[in-house]
Amino acid sequence: TKGYGNRGDLLGVSLTRMVELDVTFVHTTGKTGRSQGAHKEAGKCVRIREGTKRSHHAGTGTTGYSYVTLAHDTFGRLGDEAKDHIRMLADEACGHNSVNRSTFVRNLKSELSVATVKGNALIFQACISQLARKTGKAFQKGATCPHAEVG
């Protein structure tokens, strides 16, 4: 998708800085991933995508915000910028109170993982709905929640 042009996807504020986050996913086993040799070197696709995003957004981000790429591949590997950002958030969250660092990082990664799965499910649902509309003869949108019909 085109995203938001020259702006990242999210603006965030922590105790020490304001960040512009750009979320991106790399399909490691896709055509581009294979052509970049992702199968030969762990994390290569994520590093390439981070560099591409950073060069694309260089000098065009939101004024006053640090730019961070949150890149992950299809198998959940995070890019270096994402890992650094998580470390920074953990330092802030755990440096001033009794929050356990490993618990904080584990929960944050779990939240990112769940958000990724939910986002992918929404995209999949939209694509399947479009496909059904184009290929079917009497398309009717299904229920959003499962239910049992009686009778």
Side-chain angles (χ1 to χ4, degrees), residues 125-137 139 141:
Q125 179 185 20
C127 292
I128 291 297
S129 293
Q130 290 299 318
L131 180 64
R133 281 186 179 95
K134 291 180 180 180
T135 58
K137 292 183 180 180
F139 177 78
K141 189 172 182 177

Side-chain angles (χ1 to χ4, degrees), residues 112-149:
L112 282 172
S113 178
V114 169
T116 300
V117 170
K118 287 172 77 174
N120 283 342
L122 290 172
I123 292 168
F124 182 74
Q125 179 185 20
C127 292
I128 291 297
S129 293
Q130 290 299 318
L131 180 64
R133 281 186 179 95
K134 291 180 180 180
T135 58
K137 292 183 180 180
F139 177 78
Q140 291 183 351
K141 189 172 182 177
T144 56
C145 296
H147 64 281
E149 292 184 14

Side-chain angles (χ1 to χ4, degrees), residues 2-102:
K2 294 280 185 189
Y4 294 105
N6 289 331
R7 186 174 76 75
D9 299 314
L10 303 164
L11 298 177
V13 179
S14 70
L15 294 173
T16 60
R17 67 181 188 158
M18 300 185 306
V19 293
E20 177 180 6
L21 301 165
D22 194 7
V23 180
T24 184
F25 299 94
V26 183
H27 298 290
T28 326
T29 58
K31 182 180 176 184
T32 305
R34 288 192 316 270
S35 70
Q36 294 171 340
H39 60 289
K40 296 178 182 176
E41 183 183 337
K44 184 174 182 179
C45 266
V46 176
R47 283 192 302 280
I48 290 171
R49 179 64 62 90
E50 280 180 333
T52 302
K53 286 286 197 172
R54 181 155 290 287
S55 64
H56 175 74
H57 289 284
T60 62
T62 305
T63 305
Y65 287 76
S66 303
Y67 180 81
V68 175
T69 302
L70 288 179
H72 355 175
D73 71 14
T74 34
F75 300 108
R77 180 182 302 276
L78 291 170
D80 291 336
E81 286 186 41
K83 288 185 232 175
D84 290 343
H85 188 65
I86 289 171
R87 281 187 210 103
M88 186 273 307
L89 290 173
D91 290 343
E92 286 187 14
C94 303
H96 304 293
N97 55 37
S98 60
V99 175
N100 181 284
R101 184 182 181 83
S102 62

